[in-house]
């Protein structure tokens, strides 16, 4: 990573002119050959995100990097930009490829270095778009640094039309150095824990009521309506950046990444009531996926989570026992990795270091 950081100090992709580039580490002279990026993968808590943050501190001089985002947020934003681009009357006769071509330049003008945390592909819309998008980015000199729980060959495993996605994997391995960071220790669990903000004891409502009163000086709060892509999302109770919702209100409703993202950007603290054990049924599977997305978005924005639950984090996603007596997770492979990530993050979100981190405000 140090070699890449050194190369980036003198690299400018040919697609950008010096006047348009806003990257802070460029020098007046350039390296013409595009440096290889880095793809770090390994178990949760192995230090992938920490290494990326240290790398960015070096290449950006400690300043916030514009193209350092959670991969899910990047794809959500890119799909939204394609939608807006198509609203232009002149663009309606053109296909998606033209939209991608037009938008790639905007991405690179922010910076040729793209840094993605939690790189994963879980739906066909992203899988079919990635090949065109990244072929275009790499052909114009983009450099990718990414973290993931999966090696490249396991991305989108079992997905619909995966054979059409395989060329992207080969391009990824060509344009990035692939490095495994497997570890048997989740270092995030070593932080000092703060008691009772993840509560699974008796009288959970009374416990969260007391915390609400402490944080709001016994104010009642009121509803807040958030506007999102032409529709509204109602938060039942809020007060000065603090929101309170139940698991039922957020995870048993037809909400998605955009909904959870605007919640995470709007509130610095979320009090969440009644997280249940999530079983193998279809309804529970949908709730589990929404809960995973919710925690990912809260974590990415450094939102402080106070919650009550039916059990410790390790037991939220139970295992079934099959006829042979083997323990098997009753969801797909992608969910297994996501479960482990969420359990790890729920522990980290109780740590003093996390509680002292600054909320990432809506830009």
């Amino acid at each position: 990573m140090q070699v890449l950081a050194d190369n980036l100090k003198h690299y400018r992709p040919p697609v950008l002119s010096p006047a348009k580039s806003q990257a802070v580490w460029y020098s007046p002279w350039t390296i013409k050959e595009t440096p290889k990026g880095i793809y770090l993968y390994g178990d949760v808590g192995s230090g992938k995100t920490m290494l990326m943050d240290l790398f960015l501190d070096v290449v950006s001089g400690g300043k916030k990097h514009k193209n350092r985002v959670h991969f899910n947020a990047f794809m959500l934003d890119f799909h939204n930009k394609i939608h807006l681009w198509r609203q232009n009357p002149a663009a309606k006769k053109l296909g998606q490829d033209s939209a991608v071509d037009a938008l790639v330049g905007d991405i690179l003008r922010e910076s040729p270095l793209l840094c993605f945390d939690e790189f994963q592909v879980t739906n066909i819309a992203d899988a079919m778009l990635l090949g065109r998008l990244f072929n275009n980015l790499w052909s114009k000199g983009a450099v990718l640094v990414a973290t993931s729980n999966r090696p490249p060959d396991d991305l989108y495993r079992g997905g619909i039309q995966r054979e059409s996605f395989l060329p992207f994997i080969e391009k990824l391995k060509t344009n990035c150095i692939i490095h495994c960071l497997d570890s048997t220790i989740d270092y995030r669990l070593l932080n000092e824990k703060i008691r009772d903000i993840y509560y699974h004891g008796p009288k959970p409502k009374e416990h969260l009521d007391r915390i609400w009163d402490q944080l709001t000086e016994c104010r009642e709060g009121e509803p807040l309506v958030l506007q999102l892509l032409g529709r509204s999302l109602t938060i039942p109770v809020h007060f000065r950046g603090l929101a309170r919702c139940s698991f039922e209100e957020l995870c048993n409703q037809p909400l998605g990444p955009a909904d959870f993202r605007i919640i995470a950007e709007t509130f610095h603290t979320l009090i969440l009531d009644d997280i249940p054990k999530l079983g193998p049924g279809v309804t529970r599977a949908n709730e589990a996926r929404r809960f995973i997305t919710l925690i990912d978005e809260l974590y990415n924005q450094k939102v402080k989570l106070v919650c009550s639950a039916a059990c410790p984090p390790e037991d939220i996603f139970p295992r079934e026992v099959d006829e042979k007596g083997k323990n098997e997770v009753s969801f797909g492979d992608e969910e297994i990795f996501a479960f482990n990530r969420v359990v790890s993050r729920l522990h980290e979100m109780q740590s003093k270091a996390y509680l002292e981190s600054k909320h990432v405000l809506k830009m």
Side-chain angles (χ1 to χ4, degrees), residues 21-40:
S21 175
Q22 301 177 25
V24 298
W25 58 85
Y26 288 151
S27 68
W29 54 285
T30 66
I31 294 175
K32 293 183 179 180
E33 183 178 356
T34 303
K36 274 197 171 187
I38 298 174
Y39 181 96
L40 299 174

Side-chain angles (χ1 to χ4, degrees), residues 24 45 67 90 92 95 98 145 234 276 293 333:
V24 298
N67 281 350
K92 289 185 177 180
S98 298
V145 176
T234 301
T293 305
D333 287 344

Side-chain angles (χ1 to χ4, degrees), residues 39-46 48-49 117-120 146-152 154-155 180 182 188 296 334 336-342 345:
Y39 181 96
L40 299 174
Y41 73 92
D43 291 335
V44 293
S46 58
K48 304 183 297 295
T49 300
D117 205 14
E118 302 294 350
F119 195 103
Q120 58 180 334
T147 71
S148 179
N149 291 329
R150 284 188 170 276
D154 284 352
L155 290 170
C180 176
D182 271 344
R188 294 180 291 195
D296 281 346
E334 292 294 339
I336 295 174
F337 284 96
F339 293 164
N340 292 333
R341 181 178 72 247
V342 167
R345 286 182 168 180

